[in-house]
Amino acid sequence: MTSIENEAGFAGTAAPGLQPRRALGKLPRYAAGKPPVVVEGMQSFKLSSNENALPPLPAVLEAIRAQTAVNRYPDPMTTTLRTELSAFLGVPAADIVTGAGSLGALNQILAAFAGQNDFEAPDEVIYAWRSFEAYPICVGLAGATGIQIPVQADGTHDLKAMAAAVTERTRVILLCTPNNPTGPGLSRNEVEGFLQAVPSSVVVVIDEAYQEFVRHPDAVDGIEMYREHENVIVLRTFSKAHGLAGLRVGYSVAQPLLTDSLRVSAVPFAVSQVGEHAAVASLQHYGEVAERVQGIVDERTRVIDGLRALGWRIPEAEGNFVWLALKDYSQDFADLAGQQGLSVRAFGTEGIRVSIGEPEANTRFLELCAGYPHSPGSC
């Protein structure tokens, strides 16, 4: 290093460059869904981020407008929201820890239970792949090692392989149901059997960001699992069904053995008072939320039926999106969709995720699929 003197007269040393953590160089960057390209004479639609195409309910917008004291810090315990959620879910308010979306709540879980305890043998976090794109980033930033277990050909979790991957270093397992981006959900019997096969010392996170859209009669209910297993943490969010993605409100539900630690790792003031009161108002008008969700589910059914009538083979879709396993044709399809005013999400050479959007957008998507030459048999 070279001795230098800066303009203020302070002596110091010149370093070759500031060095970030080595883990950063090994992590992928999160790629958010891109907005649609403007096409002259055509309305464009964003189907790339699994957002709710509808704005929040009128009562929710009114609650947002009523929050004027943004010069004050929010309640760090989000007491009003947790009280409302307690009644809505039928769980103790003490078992709920809020976060900046379910992603923020996940980061709090990893900060509490998985990390760099030993440089030579970091903790391990098991999750299916492909699954939620943020998982490897969050796990790596926590200092843990991610163990990716490939999903099966039908887009489902390979729970047997995930259970077999457990070692003495495993601290957390992530179950994404419905799985983003492939679509299938997990059944109650599958998860119950998996929990019986996994040591109770391992934290099992059931990520239910799309829970409101699930219609399968045998689908797992994370809240039921948390009541029966003290090592289960449930993740949920107001981003999707409630249409509050921009306000970042999510939460975890777990028994006190886990929430005691989560309150230590929780980010202070992660949920703003605007987000908290918006979420409360949405819960208080949940009947209207459910009607909107059913409208999205109906559109999802129309899209699925339309694709299958065209000969497309797609996985079961339990979220607000569908998955096209287009492999090497993924980017080609995304580019073609862009020319039609539709932004969709391409995942390398694996496939395309298309959110269920406005009816006009869904119809245009089906028309695109009807004329696409690389559809079912070759993908």
Side-chain angles (χ1 to χ4, degrees), residues 8 10 16 30 36 60 78-79 83 113 129 156 196 198 234 260 266 288 318 358:
F10 293 99
Y30 186 84
V60 176
T78 51
T79 306
T83 300
F113 297 106
W129 197 251
T156 59
Q196 296 295 336
V198 170
V234 182
D260 286 347
E288 296 173 63
E318 290 289 338
E358 298 87 339

Side-chain angles (χ1 to χ4, degrees), residues 84-373:
E84 196 71 31
L85 278 169
S86 173
F88 181 77
L89 298 172
V91 305
D95 288 1
I96 302 168
V97 180
T98 56
S102 57
L103 181 56
L106 172 61
N107 283 328
Q108 293 167 177
I109 294 169
L110 294 173
F113 297 106
Q116 195 74 37
N117 289 329
D118 184 329
F119 185 80
E120 297 300 324
D123 294 338
E124 293 177 349
V125 178
I126 297 172
Y127 53 90
W129 197 251
R130 178 167 292 271
S131 192
F132 183 31
E133 187 178 10
Y135 286 166
I137 302 172
C138 296
V139 170
L141 288 177
T145 297
I147 306 299
Q148 299 181 349
I149 306 300
V151 296
Q152 301 182 99
D154 60 357
T156 59
H157 284 44
D158 188 342
L159 292 180
K160 289 184 179 180
M162 294 177 74
V166 173
T167 71
E168 61 182 12
R169 291 163 52 189
T170 304
R171 297 292 177 266
V172 177
I173 299 173
L174 308 177
L175 302 180
C176 187
T177 179
N179 187 50
N180 174 21
T182 60
L186 293 167
S187 72
R188 187 197 190 286
N189 287 340
E190 286 176 321
V191 175
E192 183 62 48
F194 180 77
L195 290 170
Q196 296 295 336
V198 170
S200 60
S201 58
V202 175
V203 173
V204 177
V205 178
I206 303 178
D207 186 346
E208 294 186 316
Y210 301 91
Q211 180 268 340
E212 294 89 346
F213 301 97
V214 175
R215 293 295 181 270
H216 197 288
D218 298 324
V220 66
D221 179 350
I223 298 299
E224 181 182 359
M225 292 294 102
Y226 123 87
R227 289 192 177 104
E228 298 176 2
H229 300 274
E230 64 179 9
N231 63 323
V232 165
I233 302 178
V234 182
L235 279 181
R236 291 189 178 177
T237 182
F238 286 86
S239 294
K240 310 301 182 183
H242 294 266
L244 298 179
L247 289 182
R248 314 308 303 129
V249 185
Y251 59 96
S252 62
V253 183
Q255 294 189 28
L257 180 68
L258 301 178
T259 55
D260 286 347
S261 298
L262 291 177
R263 297 203 190 284
V264 176
S265 64
V267 176
F269 311 118
V271 177
S272 70
Q273 64 263 57
V274 177
E276 178 176 13
H277 285 85
V280 168
S282 201
L283 284 174
Q284 291 173 344
H285 294 80
Y286 188 75
E288 296 173 63
V289 173
E291 288 181 9
R292 289 184 167 195
V293 167
Q294 186 57 49
I296 295 171
V297 171
D298 291 344
E299 276 294 292
R300 180 184 73 191
T301 299
R302 181 171 77 90
V303 169
I304 293 171
D305 290 346
L307 287 170
R308 289 177 175 163
L310 292 170
W312 286 74
R313 291 199 301 265
I314 62 170
E316 292 298 323
E318 290 289 338
N320 66 340
F321 55 90
V322 294
W323 173 254
L324 310 179
L326 282 165
K327 300 182 181 178
D328 290 341
Y329 296 105
S330 297
Q331 192 57 53
D332 175 70
F333 185 93
D335 292 341
L336 188 59
Q339 296 170 19
Q340 297 298 313
L342 301 176
S343 67
V344 298
R345 183 72 168 84
F347 290 84
T349 58
E350 295 172 71
I352 295 280
R353 188 192 67 197
V354 183
S355 306
I356 302 300
E358 298 87 339
E360 182 182 344
N362 302 330
T363 296
R364 193 182 304 170
F365 165 60
L366 287 172
E367 291 171 349
L368 174 62
C369 291
Y372 194 68

